[in-house]
Amino acid sequence: MISKNIRSIRQTHDLTLLEFANIIGVSRNNIIRYENGSSEIPLKVVDMISKKFNEPYSKIIGEENHELALKIEVVKEVGVSVLADFLHYLKEHHIDFEDRTNPLANMAFDLSIKLNSEIYQASTISEIERVQGFVEGIQRMLKVTSGTGGLIIKNFIQEKSR
């Protein structure tokens, strides 16, 4: 089903295999495999097609995978917002995102990886829910840091930095 939907989108836009592949950032051979169903299509590619061609996930992946796609979209949307808040928090507290010795910078980096690659490798709702749990944990931590619990976390980071 997905293979037919991808072929249909490519043909609707009157694109060759190579043109379509270049737009979404994969090889022509990958597009051939996706369209003939001989290779599983990573959700990251589905996301790219959705963005580049303004097509809803459900049209690309079909109704049988609709629940998974909706869950990915919701978790990603919330996750991106939480990541933005987290990066703002790091900047406010002069914590370098690239500092791998800092546990908060590592958490922000992990969240970024989960939202930009791991989420697209999920093939079940429970895998997406694990990412959602991580996002919600970060969200709770950020709420705590804005209150009195923030001192506990700041002290923890200062101790780890020594």
Side-chain angles (χ1 to χ4, degrees), residues 102-120:
N102 188 299
L104 287 180
N106 283 333
M107 288 172 68
F109 180 77
D110 289 347
L111 179 57
S112 176
I113 295 296
K114 287 184 183 319
L115 295 174
N116 289 303
S117 64
E118 287 181 21
I119 199 167
Y120 297 110

Side-chain angles (χ1 to χ4, degrees), residues 6-24 31 35 52-53:
I6 288 178
R7 180 179 297 120
S8 173
I9 291 169
R10 180 179 63 80
Q11 290 172 342
T12 298
H13 291 276
D14 198 29
L15 296 170
T16 66
L17 290 164
L18 183 59
E19 291 168 333
F20 189 72
N22 287 337
I23 290 170
I24 62 173
I31 297 300
E35 287 189 3
K52 294 287 184 178
F53 296 96

Side-chain angles (χ1 to χ4, degrees), residues 3-63:
S3 57
K4 290 178 184 176
N5 295 342
I6 288 178
R7 180 179 297 120
S8 173
I9 291 169
R10 180 179 63 80
Q11 290 172 342
T12 298
H13 291 276
D14 198 29
L15 296 170
T16 66
L17 290 164
L18 183 59
E19 291 168 333
F20 189 72
N22 287 337
I23 290 170
I24 62 173
V26 299
S27 73
R28 178 183 171 277
N29 288 339
N30 279 344
I31 297 300
I32 291 169
R33 287 190 290 272
Y34 299 156
E35 287 189 3
N36 70 22
S38 65
S39 183
E40 190 172 312
I41 302 161
L43 289 178
K44 189 170 189 169
V45 172
V46 173
D47 186 56
M48 186 60 68
I49 293 169
S50 176
K51 288 177 183 173
K52 294 287 184 178
F53 296 96
N54 198 26
E55 297 285 354
Y57 265 73
S58 58
K59 180 178 179 184
I60 301 168
I61 65 171
E63 291 303 316

Side-chain angles (χ1 to χ4, degrees), residues 45-107:
V45 172
V46 173
D47 186 56
M48 186 60 68
I49 293 169
S50 176
K51 288 177 183 173
K52 294 287 184 178
F53 296 96
N54 198 26
E55 297 285 354
Y57 265 73
S58 58
K59 180 178 179 184
I60 301 168
I61 65 171
E63 291 303 316
E64 68 277 4
N65 295 314
H66 186 69
E67 185 180 351
L68 178 65
L70 286 177
K71 188 77 169 172
I72 288 171
E73 286 185 50
V74 168
V75 171
K76 184 151 175 101
E77 186 174 325
V78 171
V80 166
S81 175
V82 170
L83 180 59
D85 290 345
F86 201 178
L87 293 175
H88 179 73
Y89 176 86
L90 294 179
K91 185 176 180 181
E92 251 181 13
H93 292 88
H94 309 290
I95 299 170
D96 182 12
F97 175 75
E98 301 293 327
D99 181 3
R100 293 295 157 248
T101 64
N102 188 299
L104 287 180
N106 283 333
M107 288 172 68

